[in-house]
Each structure stands twice: as structure tokens, then as C-alpha cells.
Amino acid sequence: VQLQASGGGLVHPGGSLRLSCAASGRIVSTFLAWFRQVPGEERDFVAAIRWATGYPFYADSARGRFTISKDPAGNLVYLQMNSLRPEDTAVYYCATHNIGNLYDRASYRNWGQGTQVTVSS
């Protein structure tokens, strides 16, 4: 399956964005996750969703501000980001879980092209 992230852009601090991750085929992985990466730094876990039930998992930095959800009608996953901060600026990627630690990027595959989120006044 191929994944494509979209929905990034430039937003002021305190603003909101909704990212979308579209899958080209049927998602068979147990989880689908969002990660983010700043140039020169590691790709960090943001949120994941258990595909069968929609149960979410969040990084501490995202909990309470971000919401991960899926479209029950198709192969789409969303990341609603509210109360955005400058430190949320990064390229955001979606990926499917393969095996291993849910929070570790090494456990994922099918990385899509990322979408840039810039939070700045």
C-alpha cells in the first residue's frame, strides 16, 4: 500500500490544521501512525490509531491538542491539530505499523511523502 500525506501549510500560533493520509489500497496493518521530523533531528512519533477499533495513541506533546481519526468509509486517516505551537513545525509523515514498538519509527513501513507544517507568526 502507498500512503500520501497532505494538508500541511503555514499557520499562526494557536491555529489549526487537519492533515490527511490517503492509502492507495486496503490497510491490513494493525496500526497507522503519524510521525514528524525536523531537519537534522530524529523522526518522532506523534499519534497512532488501531485500525480495527479506532483507538488512539498519542505522544505527550500531542495529547490534548491533536486528534487522530479514520474515515470509516475509506482508507483515510486524519490528524486534527489544534492550538498549534512553533515547536510543532516539522514535516509530518504517515506510515503503517509492521512489527515492534508502536512508538518507534523503526517499527513502521510504507512511509508516504510528508507534508510540511509551519507554525509561525
Side-chain angles (χ1 to χ4, degrees), residues 51 69-78:
W51 195 248
S69 62
K70 64 173 188 169
D71 178 356
N75 287 343
L76 280 169
V77 173
Y78 304 106

Side-chain angles (χ1 to χ4, degrees), residues 3-116:
L3 303 177
Q4 179 64 52
S6 62
L10 173 64
V11 64
H12 293 307
S16 299
L17 281 174
R18 188 177 79 160
L19 306 184
S20 299
C21 176
S24 61
R26 181 170 169 264
I27 295 175
V28 296
S29 296
T30 303
F31 302 95
L32 192 146
W34 286 96
F35 283 74
R36 66 186 183 187
Q37 187 170 23
V38 175
E41 298 187 11
E42 306 258 324
R43 190 169 295 187
D44 293 329
F45 175 84
V46 176
I49 189 166
R50 186 184 292 272
W51 195 248
T53 63
Y55 190 85
F57 301 83
Y58 296 103
D60 288 344
S61 59
R63 191 173 294 111
R65 299 187 300 128
F66 295 2
T67 302
I68 188 170
S69 62
K70 64 173 188 169
D71 178 356
N75 287 343
L76 280 169
V77 173
Y78 304 106
L79 185 68
Q80 177 67 43
M81 304 188 296
N82 299 327
S83 302
L84 282 162
R85 306 164 179 166
E87 53 264 40
D88 295 317
T89 296
V91 178
Y92 284 70
Y93 299 88
C94 53
T96 56
H97 184 260
N98 184 23
I99 188 170
N101 187 325
L102 182 68
Y103 303 93
D104 186 346
R105 68 189 184 282
S107 303
Y108 289 80
R109 61 182 176 183
N110 296 325
W111 293 93
Q113 288 187 324
T115 185
Q116 175 72 47

